[in-house]
Amino acid sequence: MVRHIQKAAVLGSGVMGSGIAAHLANCGINTYLLDIVPPTLTDAEKAKGLSIEHPMIRNKFANSAVQKLLKQKPAPLATKRSLNLIQTGNLEDDLEKLSDVDWIIEVVTENLEIKKSLYEKIDNVRKQGSIITSNTSGISINAMAEGRSEDFQEHFLGTHFFNPPRYLKLLEVIPSEKTNPEVLAFMKQFGEDSLGKGVVIAKDTPNFIANRIGTYGLLKTLQVMKQKGFSVGEVDSVTGPAIGRPKSATLRTLDVVGLDTFIHVANTVYHQTTGEEQAVFAVPEHMQKMVDQGWLGAKSGQGYFVKKGKEILELNLETFEYEPTKKLKTPSMEMAKQQKGLANRVKTLVYADDRVGELLWSILVPTIVYSAEMYGEIADDIVAMDEAMRWGFGWSQGPFEIWDAIGVEKSVERMKAEGIEIPAFVQGLLDQGFTSFYQEFEGVPSYYNGTGYVAIPKNEKEIDLKQYKKKQGVLKSNSGASIIDFGDGVLLLEFHSKSNALGLDIMQMLTHALDLIDSSDEYKGLVIGNQGKNFSVGANLAMILMEAQDDNIFELDYIIKQFQQGMLRIKYSQKPVVAAPFGMTLGGGTEVCLPAAHIQATTETYMGLVEAGVGLLPGGGGNKELYMKHLKGMPKGVEIDLIKVAIAVFEKIATAQTSTSGEEARDLNFLNFTDSVSVNPDHQLYDAKQAVIGLHDAGYKAPMREKVPMSGEPGYAALLLGADGLMKSGFASPYDVEIAKKIATVLSGGKIPYGTLVDEQYLLDLERKAFLELVAQPNTQARMQHMLVKGKPLRN
């Protein structure tokens, strides 16, 4: 049996197949991407004298798919370097290559006979013990495996990725009756550890878990919308973030998915069910009419919504005309905003005695009741069902978590009064005297399994900071950050200010944390990380603007000094400091990471020194550190062109360049070759902790303080020339050039000869002086104000 997957093959290069291949490449797996040989030549190909035997033609579908990966939005590739791991081919000439791979993923058209025919060919060439999976979203796993060899059947299962594979966390793994349990366990672990997925084990039933429940919920919403006279816009105004769902809510989600695609998914269940369940999965007449008219949603330019100029219009399902979008506004919506926590907001809205309550009760109750009825049929535990909906559909709460939020006893009492049949699984919970599906016992999160409560299983690498702090407590804390004993001699500095913005409170906790690890042999090092929405959006802009408007330059000078000295302490700490950035890691967030002994990023880490967008330049040593990282990344023994290095750094800072992934952060030199990227964000803190331990046990020594060679006056002149060119070509405003001059002064070292060696403090002093000069300018303050109010840069 395969114990590690080093090479894979994806068969089928459509949007899903190529997306899966891209994700595997992002994860460092060498991947073949194969498709059929085109049946005919195009007229253009004939005109070029090409034949069907030409390699360019035979691999055309896979080659075209790879090229599209470079243009798709959102980007399937974490870095263009990932393309080096994808090798294209076709299913005739390259079938023998499948004998060399550890995992074969079939992503061809949803037709049982076509799949079985392909599996017969695969069975003849695959090596014993290699894993074969199908990305089907609806065809029976057992039916596909029929007639294959015993080894094939033991190593065959479904692996249903959600689109786009890079970004959506859910991976449903579906065993057949003959799948070896060891293979199933391996694929779950591999999916979590190596592919970064949230893996749930599903049963071989139509549409598995997420699409079964999600499609039911969407169709039930459409039925209620028609029956109770709600408009498209009214439904979406209530079924989005207000109840912990994505901004796309219900109807806009259907537009994004594509109505034709949704109908295919709904029909899969419709044709395999009966009675009342089948009636729900019947596609509404209006939706079929929309598809017949080519109104497929976003991909056709119109669906339930259409954009006319700057206005978004909604479809009136009675007249089939587009009208201004309507929203439901009731007292309960305002009341819900005042509630603390999602569970309380949902409870307020569901029980509201108004149109919002009527809508939500009518769509949420059938969905959670249906989920309970499906318990044991589509999955063996409620955790898998809740996780599938959170990871696949972007729900903040799965169906059983929703039921807990609205109160099981209270809701069941009302359901019974309305004549709704209560599923045996739920009645069994209440009959045993239990009142919720989830409970905590001695700090251990547990779930109801039909007879009692059992601990929620977790990958050992998955750390939930909230649960960890409940059990282990906090060593020291203030409004901005906490210091936590992370175990094994490692401390954790957790940010928890608003948006994790950096202020003196966080600097104070950083100082305490560094004092602790420096003063005691008990500690091996420090992790700087958190589990907020983003690592850090940068410095506390509102505080800086307030001080600047009050002309408190002395106070700002003190704040910047504290920040700079904190970053130097990170860099020269005698114990290793590991930064764990994820999501938005901007401005000061990046500056915290650059001096760390090691950076443990995630695939979705977006790093950038973006201060120029608010009329500033990095003030915490970011200019210096990024310049020094570029210098250290230069080949040894080669004479360095300091001007070219300064220009490369200048372009990143002056244009606020931001990485679109952790690996692209490496391409931009925010990360170096020894830094790491955690594929699974849930494992990042574990990985960061191991990095601290590894560095310490290997005999970590703090870097020696060295002088920095600067490009001086010639470099300054070159940088200004570039900035002037940007302005003349319309890419920069006159004030952008003023900011660029300050950045150029710092990166060149100012009016000194080329090659002059300077101390880091010299560069920090230049940086702080430039920062304070800019923050006093009205144009900079206008940019800061605009960002705080509008959330986007001002070009003045």
Side-chain angles (χ1 to χ4, degrees):
M1 179 190 140
V2 170
R3 297 296 176 190
H4 185 64
I5 292 173
Q6 295 179 312
K7 188 176 287 187
V10 177
L11 314 184
S13 66
V15 171
M16 201 67 208
S18 61
I20 292 171
H23 185 68
L24 298 185
N26 291 338
C27 298
I29 300 170
N30 283 286
T31 304
Y32 292 117
L33 180 60
L34 311 181
D35 210 323
I36 61 171
V37 174
T40 58
L41 294 171
T42 65
D43 291 339
E45 290 163 349
K46 290 175 183 176
K48 291 179 181 177
L50 297 171
S51 73
I52 207 74
E53 301 304 318
H54 195 286
M56 192 168 78
I57 299 300
R58 298 184 74 75
N59 296 344
K60 179 174 76 171
F61 290 150
N63 287 339
S64 174
V66 165
Q67 290 306 307
K68 288 177 183 175
L69 290 176
L70 293 168
K71 301 173 183 175
Q72 287 176 27
K73 299 292 181 184
L77 297 166
T79 169
K80 290 180 182 178
R81 286 185 284 108
S82 296
L83 278 182
N84 297 329
L85 296 179
I86 300 176
Q87 185 176 334
T88 58
N90 66 74
L91 290 168
E92 292 180 19
D93 306 327
D94 301 300
L95 203 64
E96 290 292 333
K97 290 179 179 176
L98 300 186
S99 64
D100 186 36
V101 305
D102 307 308
W103 180 21
I104 300 164
I105 312 165
E106 168 270 305
V107 202
V108 302
T109 187
E110 288 286 82
N111 179 293
L112 178 60
E113 295 310 312
I114 290 175
K115 290 179 186 289
K116 292 186 73 169
S117 174
L118 178 59
Y119 294 157
E120 184 178 1
K121 295 174 184 176
I122 292 171
D123 210 355
N124 291 329
V125 297
R126 63 176 282 269
K127 65 182 179 184
Q128 292 283 296
S130 64
I131 294 171
I132 316 97
T133 70
S134 174
N135 188 62
T136 182
S137 59
I139 297 177
S140 167
I141 305 300
N142 287 297
M144 288 190 284
E146 286 176 2
R148 301 279 52 84
S149 67
E150 184 178 344
D151 187 76
F152 185 108
Q153 291 186 334
E154 287 181 356
H155 291 82
F156 180 72
L157 61 168
T159 48
H160 183 213
F161 288 83
F162 274 61
N163 194 31
R166 171 182 164 185
Y167 299 97
L168 282 189
K169 185 175 180 178
L170 180 61
L171 174 62
E172 292 176 319
V173 174
I174 312 99
S176 75
E177 293 170 357
K178 296 183 178 179
T179 301
N180 185 327
E182 289 185 19
V183 174
L184 177 63
F186 169 79
M187 284 306 293
K188 185 176 191 306
Q189 190 79 25
F190 177 78
E192 291 171 352
D193 292 352
S194 299
L195 301 181
K197 293 298 177 185
V199 179
V200 299
I201 307 299
K203 293 194 172 186
D204 188 17
T205 55
N207 282 357
F208 313 128
I209 301 174
N211 278 341
R212 183 72 169 267
I213 296 172
T215 303
Y216 181 97
L218 285 165
L219 287 167
K220 197 68 188 176
T221 302
L222 293 177
Q223 288 182 1
V224 171
M225 180 174 71
K226 180 177 174 57
Q227 291 165 2
K228 297 184 178 291
F230 289 97
S231 81
V232 165
E234 286 176 333
V235 168
D236 269 17
S237 69
V238 176
T239 59
I243 60 168
R245 302 283 173 83
K247 287 182 180 178
S248 55
T250 301
L251 288 310
R252 199 176 297 279
T253 293
L254 289 171
D255 276 355
V256 171
V257 168
L259 271 60
D260 52 341
T261 302
F262 179 76
I263 286 175
H264 170 78
V265 173
N267 284 339
T268 299
V269 183
Y270 178 81
H271 293 304
Q272 297 182 62
T273 51
T274 58
E276 291 181 13
E277 182 181 10
Q278 185 182 57
V280 174
F281 283 95
V283 174
E285 288 182 17
H286 79 259
M287 184 182 285
Q288 190 60 58
K289 181 179 177 182
M290 290 170 72
V291 171
D292 292 343
Q293 293 184 182
W295 297 1
L296 307 181
K299 59 187 171 186
S300 67
Q302 68 183 106
Y304 285 103
F305 295 92
V306 69
K307 189 173 184 179
K308 297 289 186 183
K310 292 185 177 181
E311 189 179 9
I312 303 292
L313 303 178
E314 64 172 71
L315 182 65
N316 182 317
L317 299 182
E318 298 297 323
T319 65
F320 256 61
E321 300 288 333
Y322 287 97
E323 304 172 344
T325 303
K326 294 182 280 294
K327 292 183 179 182
L328 268 181
K329 295 180 179 178
T330 65
S332 65
M333 290 290 281
E334 292 305 312
M335 194 182 305
K337 291 176 185 177
Q338 310 305 317
Q339 301 298 314
K340 191 173 182 180
L342 176 62
N344 289 325
R345 291 205 306 273
V346 172
K347 190 172 185 177
T348 298
L349 293 172
V350 166
Y351 291 116
D353 186 18
D354 58 23
R355 290 273 283 166
V356 168
E358 180 185 15
L359 173 63
L360 289 179
W361 179 265
S362 301
I363 62 179
L364 288 182
V365 166
T367 303
I368 61 178
V369 167
Y370 180 71
S371 299
E373 290 170 347
M374 290 297 101
Y375 171 79
E377 180 178 334
I378 64 176
D380 281 332
D381 64 84
I382 63 171
V383 177
M385 297 168 78
D386 281 342
E387 288 176 337
M389 299 316 299
R390 285 193 274 109
W391 296 339
F393 274 69
W395 293 10
S396 295
Q397 295 176 320
F400 296 95
E401 292 167 319
I402 291 172
W403 213 326
D404 275 356
I406 66 174
V408 180
E409 286 182 302
K410 181 178 180 179
S411 61
V412 166
E413 184 181 343
R414 178 172 166 182
M415 290 176 201
K416 286 181 176 178
E418 294 178 0
I420 298 171
E421 187 175 343
I422 308 303
F425 175 67
V426 181
Q427 191 59 56
L429 173 93
L430 295 171
D431 288 346
Q432 292 180 74
F434 303 135
T435 58
S436 65
F437 293 104
Y438 291 95
Q439 295 261 15
E440 259 191 39
F441 296 97
E442 296 181 355
V444 178
S446 306
Y447 71 98
Y448 178 69
N449 69 351
T451 57
Y453 291 91
V454 294
I456 296 173
K458 280 201 171 181
N459 189 308
E460 65 172 358
K461 297 179 181 178
E462 188 177 335
I463 296 170
D464 183 327
L465 269 187
K466 286 183 181 177
Q467 289 296 328
Y468 188 90
K469 287 190 292 184
K470 274 186 184 179
K471 291 180 70 174
Q472 304 298 332
V474 171
L475 293 179
K476 199 173 183 68
S477 183
N478 65 17
S479 59
S482 295
I483 302 170
I484 301 157
D485 188 330
F486 214 27
D488 302 313
V490 179
L491 291 183
L492 172 71
L493 178 68
E494 177 199 18
F495 303 161
H496 46 64
S497 61
K498 185 177 180 182
S499 301
N500 287 338
L502 302 169
L504 284 176
D505 48 2
I506 288 179
M507 289 302 109
Q508 184 183 45
M509 281 298 114
L510 172 63
T511 299
H512 284 308
L514 292 170
D515 285 344
L516 278 170
I517 64 170
D518 284 346
S519 63
S520 173
D521 291 337
E522 178 186 352
Y523 299 117
K524 295 183 175 182
L526 173 70
V527 171
I528 302 176
N530 63 78
Q531 290 180 335
K533 184 178 179 182
N534 296 296
F535 177 75
S536 175
V537 297
N540 187 332
L541 198 61
M543 179 270 293
I544 294 173
L545 177 60
M546 183 178 68
E547 298 290 357
Q549 289 176 334
D550 289 344
D551 203 25
N552 286 336
I553 301 303
F554 179 81
E555 181 70 19
L556 282 172
D557 185 45
Y558 172 78
I559 292 168
I560 301 303
K561 275 182 181 175
Q562 292 296 109
F563 192 8
Q564 290 181 342
Q565 293 311 303
M567 299 308 99
L568 282 179
R569 284 204 63 187
I570 288 174
K571 184 173 185 177
Y572 294 111
S573 169
Q574 294 305 304
K575 307 275 182 69
V577 177
V578 172
F582 62 93
M584 295 297 181
T585 302
L586 305 177
T590 293
E591 289 184 289
V592 168
C593 299
L594 291 176
H598 182 84
I599 298 175
Q600 186 71 43
T602 68
T603 301
E604 304 310 324
T605 296
Y606 313 123
M607 297 183 79
L609 296 170
V610 298
E611 287 86 351
V614 290
L616 295 168
L617 83 173
N623 306 277
K624 165 184 70 75
E625 284 300 326
L626 191 57
Y627 178 72
M628 292 179 75
K629 266 189 182 282
H630 276 68
L631 286 177
K632 288 177 182 175
M634 301 299 288
K636 303 300 179 189
V638 176
E639 186 176 349
I640 298 173
D641 186 333
L642 297 174
I643 293 178
K644 283 187 177 178
V645 174
I647 289 172
V649 179
F650 175 82
E651 287 174 349
K652 293 178 179 68
I653 297 174
T655 61
Q657 200 168 351
T658 304
S659 73
T660 59
S661 70
E663 282 300 335
E664 193 177 75
R666 197 190 308 279
D667 296 340
L668 296 174
N669 270 74
F670 293 118
L671 272 60
N672 60 34
F673 71 95
T674 62
D675 292 325
S676 306
V677 173
S678 295
V679 177
N680 192 326
D682 294 337
H683 298 178
Q684 183 191 24
L685 290 180
Y686 173 91
D687 294 339
K689 178 180 173 181
Q690 299 311 306
V692 168
I693 295 169
L695 285 167
H696 176 274
D697 292 353
Y700 177 78
K701 299 291 183 188
M704 290 179 61
R705 193 149 179 162
E706 299 175 301
K707 294 203 170 185
V708 188
M710 307 304 297
S711 59
E713 289 189 283
Y716 179 76
L719 296 178
L720 281 198
L721 191 64
D724 189 55
L726 284 172
M727 187 178 75
K728 287 179 178 175
S729 57
F731 291 105
S733 70
Y735 195 62
D736 289 329
V737 175
E738 290 304 308
I739 299 165
K741 286 179 181 178
K742 303 295 186 186
I743 298 169
T745 299
V746 178
L747 292 177
S748 65
K751 295 183 178 181
I752 55 176
Y754 179 93
T756 299
L757 294 172
V758 302
D759 185 78
E760 287 181 71
Q761 190 59 52
Y762 170 84
L763 294 176
L764 290 175
D765 291 343
L766 278 182
E767 181 180 280
R768 193 172 69 257
K769 179 175 181 288
F771 185 97
L772 294 173
E773 288 171 349
L774 284 172
V775 82
Q777 296 298 315
N779 278 340
T780 286
Q781 293 179 17
R783 287 191 178 196
M784 294 166 73
Q785 183 81 39
H786 192 271
M787 177 61 74
L788 288 167
V789 175
K790 302 286 187 181
K792 55 186 179 181
L794 170 69
R795 296 298 302 277
N796 58 354

